[in-house]
């Protein structure tokens, strides 16, 4: 179980010495991912979802807030003592090409972390060899043909599987997959998503999926939680299916409206939401962060910041004064 | 000079890299005034095909056979270097893959616009700037500000629009967009696609969109062509192809797209992996390794592209079914 | 079955590596030429001097003799065989150049890697040091040093040149390290809890090997020029068999620039230096392909 409360992260931009610009990447985010569960962070690039993922994987520090892993608060530990906890949260990078060392064979890549593991648990070299083959089989690769190869001899999809296999060498509690399929050929993407789902079911590994493509979030498990993040704030949160089929926040609705419709196969939603302008980083003083782009904003929206919470008749949490259901999602055409 | 959308006829085009065919015997017609989308995975030859339209295949690549006939321009395959340079930009606009990064980081957009104008002998540079501002304004940007900006001051979506502006500003009526929305967000992508569609109609263009994302084509294109391993395996009107794909690869590709609604288990990945230039089979059907309808004949004979109504499909199994 | 493959994998990988190197070298004739040249020089420096007596015989009647079967490159102002001097001199030149190369790479790459990987305080201190070192003008310092030190042994010479030359490599390696450490596979290695020794030695170093090897060869070339130059300028004590001294004597003693008699004496060491540099340049061309498995295996 991994939870976070009130995570705040501010990046200082270099430049003028006198006028230090600060960028608020995360403005107090709460999340909770149960053991073996699934969660997705959704949002545009620059919304803070990747930063949050890196903080959870221990690759980045945060300024405020608390991360609790298996009932241990990370702030109570020294940096060195945190390492074993964060080691059990493994990151799957977006780019399978740079995630593997081009000068090392797949076996060498898997061997290094396995050797460490063997030393910790007092196992021998034979176990390392067996385990290397085992983790490759787990991710659907044939060890015999893959172990001796270099990364450049594998396709993008196979590389991403190797990256996942490498993460499995440390028996992780959770995998953080940051846009893990966006650089993989379209025909193979579902294979990787299905693998993540399969690992959840078979090994009980939790999966945190970070993406801008909402549709892919469904495929790692419909029991998962979906967090829609906008400019460092969670603006809608609920079960994946609930949020996707019945979004109430205008930002979530515009994200869903933007997904291409397969005309001929699908009918577009009847009430698509289009933001009034592009992403705007300037601060609206105290108001809703989305107000300037929101087609439905009122005066209240520009002066008062809506907090994430529940309202009557809406199953999911949201941060909007005027939650309203709109028909934004494309539906399969009848008879096809 | 009255110009209108030209038609393009690609016939029997083969492009090789070191004698390995990246594009093999492709015939495709772009009717004047339409948007055609070419969909393919990495290594399908889609970008090479697009470059052939400009006769801009880089060595060791070489157009080995076939022709690309463009109305009012001619067969560009036979053009000499200087001849094709004059046509590029002024008559054929090209928006490069990752246009987000194809601007010169040291010069303002305006300077690059003037460079473009000068290299094409435009005399009325003032008029050129005016046109550029109009176009940028049309795409929802502040033209004057954008022309004064350097690349790093513009967001990805803005750079993409600048790329489109540079492709159109010399009044080209044939436009090729290579992966116009890769690395863009969903919302920005949707904005760009809308702009492509609108500008296409307003200016009377013939547009070719190259992409790996079938959703992009579904949104903008009138006609859809699917490439696999250097072959054009299926083409036809977008809606028809999406509603009833004939080629097993098209079918598999559409099934492999994660969807927002409907049964999760219906979507499935294609088995196997796309061929590369080195692994693409020399004879027989390029798709047979991953094909559920594989027959004996597929191992030896490359299926010819044949027309079935509005559709052109290159598949033995489809042929058998049609004749049955 | 699979165990068998794995157990021998380290040895077989090494064999594969050398087979790959051979393949890369064979790809271009120029590379083979480079290898042949460098091997030739190595043989010349290692066993060549053994064929000649400590004091070369001289013949006062054959000063500046022309090229002949007896004297391949003629003779010098004392009538000593130029080819013999060239061969004897090669040992000093090559040995000191090698020492320079090794020191440049070990110190430069070591500091660069450490500095780039650790960042923070260590980086600041080490890079200030490097910058300070880079501002020391090499040639004047060498001239000053030479007044108190005769550089009698090649190793001393190499040591001094190496200690003067690692700054550039250190800076370059550091910046490479800084960019590489942001790459996915380094971050993954840290995330997996692998030791710093492993990350630097097994992940970073091999990735930078072509870069470092190239720098080493360039450093070697620089060292050859630097020491020959020093001797040519005449700031170091006279030593008949040194290439630089040969040049000096040919120009200032034999008047090779004005008369043709001493020309072979001048050209012989010049040609040797050119050939050596050429050999290095031709081999450098292959470094990228040798250390990059993708380019190597293709």
């Amino acid at each position: 179980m991994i939870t976070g409360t009130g995570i705040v992260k501010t990046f200082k931009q270099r430049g003028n010495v006198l006028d230090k610009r600060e960028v608020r990447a995360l403005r107090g985010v709460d999340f909770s991912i149960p053991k073996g569960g699934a969660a997705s962070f959704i949002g545009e690039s620059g919304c803070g979802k990747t930063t949050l993922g890196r903080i959870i994987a221990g690759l980045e520090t945060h300024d405020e807030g608390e991360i609790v892993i298996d009932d241990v608060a990370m702030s109570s530990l020294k940096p060195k003592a945190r390492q074993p906890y964060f080691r059990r949260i493994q990151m799957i990078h977006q780019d399978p090409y740079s995630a593997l060392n081009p000068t090392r064979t797949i076996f060498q890549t898997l061997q290094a972390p396995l050797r460490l593991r063997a030393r910790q648990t007092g196992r021998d070299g034979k176990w390392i060899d067996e385990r290397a083959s085992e983790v490759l089989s787990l991710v659907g690769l044939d060890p015999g043909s893959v172990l001796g190869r270099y990364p450049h001899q594998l396709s993008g999809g196979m590389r991403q599987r190797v990256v996942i296999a490498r993460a499995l060498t440390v028996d992780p509690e959770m995998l953080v997959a940051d846009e893990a399929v966006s650089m993989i050929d379209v025909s193979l993407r579902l294979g990787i998503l299905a693998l993540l789902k399969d690992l959840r079911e078979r090994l009980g590994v939790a999966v945190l999926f970070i993406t801008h493509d909402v549709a892919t979030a469904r495929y790692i498990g419909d029991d998962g939680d979906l967090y829609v993040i906008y400019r460092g704030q969670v603006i809608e949160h609920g079960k994946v299916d609930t949020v996707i089929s019945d979004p109430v926040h205008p930002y979530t609705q515009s994200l869903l409206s933007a997904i291409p419709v397969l005309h001929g196969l699908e009918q577009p939603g009847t009430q698509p939401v289009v933001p009034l302008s592009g992403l705007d980083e300037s601060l609206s003083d105290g108001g809703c962060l989305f107000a300037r782009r929101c087609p439905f904003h009122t005066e209240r929206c520009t002066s008062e910041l809506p907090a994430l919470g529940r309202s009557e008749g809406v199953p999911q949490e949201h941060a909007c004064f005027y939650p309203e259901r709109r028909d934004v999602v494309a539906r399969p055409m009848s008879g096809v | 000079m009255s110009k209108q959308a030209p038609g393009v006829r690609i016939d029997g085009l083969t492009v090789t890299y070191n004698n390995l065919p990246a594009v093999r015997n492709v015939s495709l017609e772009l009717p004047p005034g339409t948007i055609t989308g070419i969909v393919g995975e990495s290594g399908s030859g889609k970008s090479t095909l697009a470059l052939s339209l400009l006769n801009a295949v880089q060595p060791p690549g070489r157009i080995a056979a076939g022709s690309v006939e463009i109305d009012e321009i001619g067969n560009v395959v036979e053009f000499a270097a200087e001849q094709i340079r004059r046509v590029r930009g002024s008559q054929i606009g090209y928006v490069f893959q990752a246009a987000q990064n194809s601007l010169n980081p040291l010069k303002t957009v305006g300077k690059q616009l003037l460079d473009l104008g000068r290299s094409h002998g435009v005399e009325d540079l003032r008029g050129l700037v005016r046109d550029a501002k109009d176009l940028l304004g049309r795409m929802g940007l502040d033209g004057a500000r954008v022309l004064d900006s350097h690349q790093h001051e513009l967001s990805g979506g803005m750079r993409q629009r600048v790329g489109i502006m540079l492709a159109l500003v010399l009044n080209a009526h044939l436009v090729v967009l290579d992966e116009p929305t890769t690395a863009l967000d969903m919302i920005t992508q949707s904005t760009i696609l809308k702009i492509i569609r609108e500008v296409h109609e307003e200016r009377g263009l013939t547009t070719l969109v190259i992409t790996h994302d079938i959703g992009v084509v579904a949104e903008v294109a009138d006609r859809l062509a699917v490439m696999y391993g250097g072959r054009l395996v299926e083409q036809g009107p977008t809606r028809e192809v999406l509603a009833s794909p004939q080629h097993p690869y098209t079918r598999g590709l559409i099934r492999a797209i994660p969807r927002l609604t409907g049964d999760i288990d219906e979507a499935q990945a294609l088995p196997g992996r796309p061929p590369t230039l080195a692994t693409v089979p020399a004879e027989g059907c390029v798709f047979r390794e991953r094909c559920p309808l594989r027959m004996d004949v597929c191992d030896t004979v490359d299926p010819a592209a044949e027309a079935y109504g509005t559709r052109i499909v290159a598949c033995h199994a489809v042929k058998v079914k049609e004749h049955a | 079955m699979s165990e068998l493959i794995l157990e021998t994998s380290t040895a077989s990988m090494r064999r594969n590596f050398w087979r790959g190197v051979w393949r890369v070298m064979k790809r271009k004739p120029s590379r083979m030429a480079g290898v042949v040249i460098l091997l030739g020089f190595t043989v010349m420096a290692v066993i060549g001097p053994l064929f000649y007596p400590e004091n070369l015989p001289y013949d006062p009647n054959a000063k500046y003799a022309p090229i002949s079967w007896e004297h391949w490159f003629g003779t010098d102002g004392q009538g000593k065989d130029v080819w013999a001097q060239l061969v004897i001199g090669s040992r000093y030149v090559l040995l000191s150049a090698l020492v320079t190369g090794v020191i440049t790479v070990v110190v430069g790459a070591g500091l660069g890697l450490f500095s780039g990987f650790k960042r923070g305080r260590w980086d600041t201190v080490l890079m200030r040091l490097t910058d300070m070192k880079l501002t020391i003008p090499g040639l004047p310092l060498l001239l000053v040093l030479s007044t108190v030190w005769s550089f009698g042994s090649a190793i001393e010479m190499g040591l001094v040149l190496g200690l003067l030359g690692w700054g550039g490599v250190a800076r370059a390696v550091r910046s490479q390290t800084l960019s590489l450490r942001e790459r996915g596979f380094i971050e993954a290695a840290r995330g997996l809890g692998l030791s710093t020794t492993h990350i630097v030695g097994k992940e970073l170093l091999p990735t930078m090997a072509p870069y470092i090897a190239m720098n080493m060869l360039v450093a070697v070339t620089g060292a050859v020029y630097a020491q020959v130059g020093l001797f040519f300028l005449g700031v170091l004590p006279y030593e008949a068999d040194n290439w630089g001294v040969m040049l000096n004597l040919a120009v200032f003693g034999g008047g090779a620039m004005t008369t043709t008699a001493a020309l072979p004496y001048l050209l012989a060491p010049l040609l040797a230096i050119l050939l050596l540099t050429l050999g290095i340049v031709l081999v450098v061309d292959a470094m990228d392909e040798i250390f990059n498995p993708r380019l190597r295996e293709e």
Side-chain angles (χ1 to χ4, degrees):
Chain A
M1 174 97 163
I2 296 152
T3 56
T5 37
I7 306 293
V8 172
K9 174 76 181 176
T10 308
F11 285 111
K12 289 180 186 68
Q13 274 190 339
R14 268 197 263 175
N16 198 330
V17 184
L18 300 173
D19 168 37
K20 271 211 181 113
R21 283 225 298 159
E22 292 192 338
V23 178
R24 299 262 272 174
L26 296 168
R27 309 163 195 260
V29 172
D30 300 344
F31 63 87
S32 164
I33 304 157
K35 225 178 180 59
S40 305
F41 294 162
I42 306 289
E44 286 170 280
S45 61
C47 74
K49 59 186 193 294
T50 294
T51 309
L52 186 54
R54 291 174 58 84
I55 289 172
I56 295 171
L59 297 169
E60 192 106 55
T61 56
H62 55 282
D63 302 328
E64 288 170 40
E66 180 69 89
I67 287 186
V68 180
I69 302 174
D70 290 338
D71 299 325
V72 180
M74 287 300 112
S75 64
S76 68
L77 299 175
K78 290 207 169 82
K80 262 247 155 29
R82 283 176 210 158
Q83 274 180 11
Y85 289 92
F86 282 124
R87 193 171 304 156
R88 305 207 59 207
I89 303 173
Q90 283 294 319
M91 189 95 172
I92 311 294
H93 287 83
Q94 169 178 16
D95 181 1
Y97 294 83
S98 81
L100 294 173
N101 191 333
T103 63
R104 296 170 73 71
T105 61
I106 306 308
F107 177 66
Q108 288 177 310
T109 293
L110 297 174
Q111 187 191 30
L114 282 174
R115 203 178 269 163
L116 201 75
R117 193 93 185 123
R119 210 176 308 144
Q120 285 166 354
T121 52
R123 279 182 257 230
D124 57 358
K126 201 172 152 226
W127 175 81
I128 296 179
D129 294 349
E130 282 169 7
R131 185 72 183 147
S133 301
E134 201 178 317
V135 288
L136 283 178
S137 309
L138 273 173
V139 298
L141 292 173
D142 168 30
S145 71
V146 170
L147 273 173
R149 302 237 203 153
Y150 286 100
H152 73 267
Q153 292 164 321
L154 307 178
S155 71
M158 290 166 88
R159 279 184 230 201
Q160 198 61 299
R161 285 173 192 266
V162 172
V163 170
I164 295 171
R166 179 179 61 191
L168 292 180
T169 58
V170 294
D171 302 316
E173 176 111 32
M174 177 160 87
L175 298 177
V176 179
D178 185 6
E179 300 280 11
V181 297
S182 71
M183 293 186 74
I184 290 168
D185 272 311
V186 183
S187 69
L188 306 175
R189 283 185 189 174
L190 272 176
I192 301 288
L193 294 173
L195 169 64
L196 290 172
K197 187 179 173 187
D198 179 57
L199 290 175
R200 270 192 66 204
E201 285 162 5
R202 280 204 291 164
L203 307 179
V205 184
V207 174
L208 171 57
F209 195 69
I210 301 174
T211 181
H212 69 273
D213 185 358
V214 193
T216 50
R218 289 177 76 209
Y219 291 83
I220 52 162
D222 44 12
D223 58 335
D225 272 19
L226 188 73
Y227 295 80
V228 183
I229 304 180
Y230 184 68
R231 292 176 66 188
Q233 194 198 3
V234 175
I235 54 97
E236 191 156 356
H237 163 225
K239 288 285 162 230
V240 177
D241 277 351
T242 315
V243 177
I244 288 183
S245 56
D246 259 336
V248 293
H249 195 289
Y251 177 66
T252 314
Q253 291 168 349
S254 52
L255 271 182
L256 291 167
S257 303
I259 293 173
V261 178
L262 295 182
H263 296 281
L265 262 183
E266 296 177 325
Q267 267 171 328
T270 52
Q271 300 167 286
V273 177
V274 180
L276 298 176
S277 60
L279 188 58
D280 177 10
E281 289 288 346
S282 63
L283 274 175
S284 46
D285 302 298
C288 170
L289 294 165
F290 189 60
R292 289 192 190 191
R293 299 173 73 190
C294 182
F296 314 108
H297 73 271
T298 65
E299 211 145 295
R300 187 182 174 199
C301 300
T302 52
S303 57
E304 200 182 324
L305 178 68
L308 188 67
R310 289 181 196 283
S311 65
E312 213 173 300
V314 181
Q316 70 263 42
E317 289 184 297
H318 60 86
C320 181
F321 294 127
Y322 311 102
E324 195 178 309
R325 296 204 164 85
R326 292 183 183 89
D327 177 24
V328 293
V329 179
R331 266 161 235 298
M333 268 159 73
S334 46
V336 177
Chain B
M1 189 168 65
S2 80
K3 282 209 288 186
Q4 52 181 352
V8 179
R9 286 163 304 284
I10 301 168
D11 193 28
L13 189 74
T14 298
V15 183
T16 59
Y17 284 87
N18 299 324
N19 290 324
L20 299 169
V23 169
R24 185 144 47 121
N25 194 11
V26 164
S27 298
L28 172 69
E29 194 179 335
L30 313 183
T34 59
I35 302 183
T36 304
I38 296 184
V39 173
E41 295 177 90
S42 61
S44 64
K46 57 186 192 301
S47 286
T48 307
L49 178 65
L51 285 172
S52 326
L53 238 64
L54 290 163
N55 193 358
V57 180
Q58 295 296 318
R62 154 184 108 74
I63 297 177
S67 64
V68 178
E69 195 84 39
I70 304 175
D71 286 349
E72 289 172 53
I73 298 177
N75 181 4
V76 292
V77 170
E78 288 165 1
F79 276 28
E82 178 56 25
Q83 218 177 347
I84 194 74
R85 192 192 69 77
R86 243 176 287 139
V87 172
R88 274 179 217 160
S90 62
Q91 284 172 286
I92 310 172
Y94 199 99
V95 184
F96 282 95
Q97 187 166 0
Q100 292 98 320
N101 303 320
S102 67
L103 294 168
N104 182 337
L106 301 178
K107 287 184 175 176
T108 62
V109 174
K111 278 230 174 72
Q112 293 178 59
L113 171 69
L114 293 179
D115 289 349
L116 177 77
R118 284 195 205 101
S119 69
H120 281 277
V122 174
E123 275 164 27
D124 181 14
L125 288 175
R126 252 172 238 283
L128 185 72
V129 172
R130 205 176 44 237
D131 289 350
K133 279 188 192 162
D134 285 350
L135 262 166
L136 289 170
R138 172 64 200 80
M139 295 189 273
L141 298 180
D142 175 354
R145 226 196 81 200
V146 169
L147 289 184
D148 265 339
S149 306
H150 286 89
Q151 178 200 288
H152 69 268
E153 294 167 295
L154 304 171
S155 70
M158 286 161 100
R159 287 178 208 169
Q160 195 65 48
R161 278 177 262 194
V162 168
I164 296 174
M165 177 276 285
L166 290 173
L168 291 176
V169 70
L170 291 170
N171 216 12
H173 282 255
L174 173 60
V175 179
V176 180
L177 298 132
D178 195 353
E179 298 281 9
T181 60
T182 312
L184 295 181
D185 277 298
M186 282 292 173
I187 293 179
T188 319
Q189 162 170 305
S190 142
T191 316
I192 296 287
L193 293 180
K194 198 161 149 254
I195 287 171
I196 291 175
R197 183 97 231 176
E198 287 167 359
V199 170
H200 168 85
E201 263 154 38
E202 282 163 28
R203 297 178 75 98
L205 308 173
T206 300
T207 306
L208 181 64
V209 177
I210 315 286
T211 179
H212 67 276
D213 188 345
I214 220 164
V216 167
V217 174
E219 278 287 330
V220 298
D222 309 305
R223 294 179 56 78
L224 167 61
V226 182
M227 282 193 82
Y228 187 85
R231 294 277 290 146
L232 230 172
V233 294
E234 177 161 6
Q235 53 172 306
T238 307
R239 282 171 192 242
E240 286 181 31
V241 176
L242 288 179
S244 63
Q246 297 294 309
H247 196 283
Y249 174 62
T250 320
R251 232 178 281 165
L253 196 59
I254 293 172
R255 262 181 64 150
I257 304 171
R259 301 306 307 156
L260 277 177
T261 47
D263 188 359
I264 285 188
D265 298 326
E266 220 163 74
Q268 258 161 29
L270 267 166
R273 57 165 163 161
T276 63
L277 204 51
T279 60
V280 68
E283 58 178 20
C285 177
V286 285
F287 184 62
R288 62 171 188 269
E289 295 293 340
R290 302 171 78 184
C291 185
L293 307 176
R294 183 173 177 173
M295 304 182 296
D296 288 342
V297 64
C298 304
D299 293 347
T300 48
V301 182
D302 195 5
E306 292 190 37
Y308 306 96
T310 54
R311 207 79 65 82
I312 301 174
V313 186
C315 176
H316 292 302
V318 170
K319 190 174 179 179
V320 170
K321 203 177 90 193
E322 287 291 321
H323 287 276
Chain C
M1 175 68 200
S2 76
E3 276 168 46
L4 228 144
I5 300 170
L6 294 176
E7 263 163 8
T8 56
S9 69
T10 323
S12 76
M13 279 205 34
R14 201 156 290 148
R15 209 167 40 242
N16 280 340
F17 174 79
W18 285 110
R19 214 175 285 150
V21 170
W22 177 239
R23 203 163 33 231
V24 168
M25 285 305 177
K26 271 196 305 192
R27 239 172 253 168
K28 284 191 193 169
S30 64
R31 289 176 187 164
M32 288 310 278
V35 172
V36 168
I37 292 173
L38 291 190
L39 278 178
F41 271 106
T42 313
V43 171
M44 184 166 155
V46 174
I47 56 173
L50 303 178
F51 291 104
Y52 298 97
E54 190 138 328
N55 291 309
L56 282 176
Y58 57 92
D59 178 3
N61 300 322
K63 290 180 185 172
Y64 300 119
I67 291 170
S68 64
W69 271 119
E70 203 176 337
H71 303 295
W72 294 358
F73 282 103
T75 58
D76 70 355
Q78 291 178 301
K80 280 201 272 190
D81 183 51
V82 171
W83 168 249
Q85 292 184 36
L86 206 62
V87 172
I88 295 169
S90 67
R91 186 177 273 185
Y92 184 102
V93 173
L94 264 78
L95 185 58
S96 63
L98 189 72
V99 171
T100 309
V102 169
I103 290 178
T104 312
V105 162
V106 171
V107 178
L111 279 181
L113 275 169
F114 187 78
S115 199
F117 189 73
K118 281 278 172 198
R119 298 195 295 193
R121 220 170 308 151
W122 277 103
D123 183 34
T124 317
V125 172
L126 287 174
M127 281 305 115
R128 278 305 143 271
L129 230 122
T130 310
D131 288 343
M132 248 151 53
K133 206 222 66 66
L134 279 170
T135 54
I136 298 173
L139 186 67
L141 182 72
L142 276 172
L143 291 179
V144 172
L145 270 181
S146 64
T147 58
V148 293
W149 199 354
S150 66
F151 295 112
S153 95
I155 294 181
E156 280 173 25
M157 182 83 206
L159 204 69
V160 171
L161 285 176
L163 289 177
L164 279 173
W166 57 264
V169 181
R171 271 248 164 240
V173 168
R174 171 183 170 268
S175 66
Q176 280 271 314
T177 311
L178 279 177
S179 83
L180 275 175
R181 84 195 296 286
E182 303 298 325
R183 291 277 280 281
F185 64 87
I186 298 295
E187 203 171 82
R190 275 187 294 160
L192 290 163
L194 301 181
S195 66
T196 308
T197 331
H198 171 92
I199 296 177
V200 173
K202 296 275 179 63
E203 308 274 350
L204 275 174
L205 200 60
T207 327
M208 271 191 297
Y211 197 71
I212 292 173
M214 238 172 322
N215 266 304
M216 164 146 178
L217 290 176
V218 170
V220 166
T221 321
V224 171
Y225 281 123
Q227 51 167 307
V228 169
L230 278 178
F231 281 102
F232 172 71
L233 287 175
V235 295
L236 292 179
Y238 170 85
E239 218 175 295
D241 310 326
N242 188 286
W243 293 1
V245 176
M246 290 166 73
L247 286 173
N248 178 303
L249 288 177
V251 172
F252 300 114
M257 308 300 272
T258 46
T259 64
T260 53
L263 210 54
Y265 187 34
L266 173 73
L267 287 183
L270 268 186
L271 274 177
I273 294 167
L274 273 179
L275 206 61
L276 181 59
T277 320
L278 180 72
I280 289 173
V281 169
L282 292 178
V283 171
V284 162
D285 166 60
M287 287 303 149
D288 242 349
E289 291 177 37
I290 286 179
F291 290 103
N292 183 332
R294 185 169 61 81
L295 300 173
R296 184 171 70 224
E297 308 291 331
E298 250 167 29

